[in-house]
Amino acid sequence: MRYLLLAVPLVVAFAGPLIPYELVRAASFADVGLLGTDFAGRDVWHQVLVGGRTLVVTALLATAGAYLLGTLWGLAAASAPRMLDETMMRPLDVLMAVPSLLLLLVVAALAADGALVWIVMLVHLPDIARLVRACALEAGSRPAVEAMRLQGEGWWRITVGFVARSMARVLATDAGTRLTGSLYLIAAASFLGVGVPPDAADWAVMVDRNRGGLFLNPWAVLAPALMIVMLAVGLNLTVDRVLKRAEHAPR
């Protein structure tokens, strides 16, 4: 079931745009389409099929990029001397003090077109780096780490081989929530005219633009929202399953 939850939105997102519109209309058996029409009179089912690729790719790239940079930043700060640790973390505190939407607008005004991935990465970076640093400091204070140091183990073996692996479950759980946050930020950006046109065929845009007509055609909101929920939940369950298998795998 967990794999189905993840596979359905991914298949719809990446295979949907390849289906000709004529086939979508032919399969609807109605002039108004299988799921009715949206606020602009467009076929909702067709919009769902073509509206997921950009959103999913942007959210996944932004979340993965933020975790890559945030993990390196947090591990480096946790293993650095105290003065360097403070120097690395204080700029992130300044970023955290700025509301995410305000930061998104400011950076978007200074950045070139197509920088939405980098903007979302920048919004997530402070939280991820602080989470990684806190987990690394906790794992680094365990007796096992001290024993590894006494045995002469190197930085890579201790930090990556033990500390990073010990916090994998916490980070994987946070990644699912962070992905949902990326989807929200992209939707908010499109509503504010940043990165995505407000009338684009996009799941997040569909949820935002059609909520005023929820009781006229609920599918215009529920169908794209269901795709987003299935993607987030399916990813969380799949990652959790993979981690459980990794823990019980023979070494």
Side-chain angles (χ1 to χ4, degrees), residues 8-190:
V8 168
L10 290 179
V11 170
V12 171
F14 291 101
L18 303 177
I19 302 176
Y21 179 63
E22 292 74 15
L23 293 181
V24 177
R25 293 289 297 177
S28 298
F29 301 107
D31 294 335
V32 295
L34 186 64
L35 300 179
T37 57
D38 65 0
F39 74 100
R42 298 173 297 188
D43 189 334
V44 171
W45 178 230
H46 181 252
Q47 296 293 300
V48 170
L49 289 177
V50 302
R53 179 182 294 178
T54 301
L55 176 66
V56 171
V57 170
T58 303
L60 289 176
L61 286 178
T63 305
Y67 257 91
L68 177 61
L69 183 57
T71 299
L72 294 176
W73 196 307
L75 288 176
S79 59
R82 182 176 180 81
M83 185 64 68
L84 181 57
D85 179 17
E86 293 288 331
T87 303
M88 293 179 65
M89 299 307 296
R90 292 298 75 81
L92 299 183
D93 292 341
V94 175
L95 285 178
M96 289 186 65
V98 181
S100 58
L101 289 180
L102 178 59
L103 179 62
L104 186 149
L105 287 175
V106 172
V107 177
L110 301 175
D113 294 337
L116 188 57
V117 171
W118 299 101
I119 297 173
V120 177
M121 282 178 56
L122 184 62
V123 171
H124 286 319
L125 176 60
D127 292 328
I128 295 174
R130 289 182 66 86
L131 176 63
V132 171
R133 176 181 174 273
C135 292
L137 288 175
E138 188 277 331
S141 63
R142 296 177 185 176
V145 174
E146 184 62 29
M148 293 177 71
R149 290 196 182 101
L150 293 176
Q151 292 174 2
E153 298 288 354
W155 179 89
W156 179 266
R157 174 70 175 170
I158 295 175
T159 304
V160 178
F162 179 81
V163 174
R165 290 183 61 182
S166 66
M167 60 186 182
R169 183 173 298 279
V170 174
L171 298 184
T173 303
D174 180 72
T177 305
R178 199 72 58 186
L179 177 62
T180 306
S182 296
L183 296 171
Y184 161 75
L185 283 173
I186 296 169
S190 65

Side-chain angles (χ1 to χ4, degrees), residues 33 77 81 144 181 236:
N236 276 334

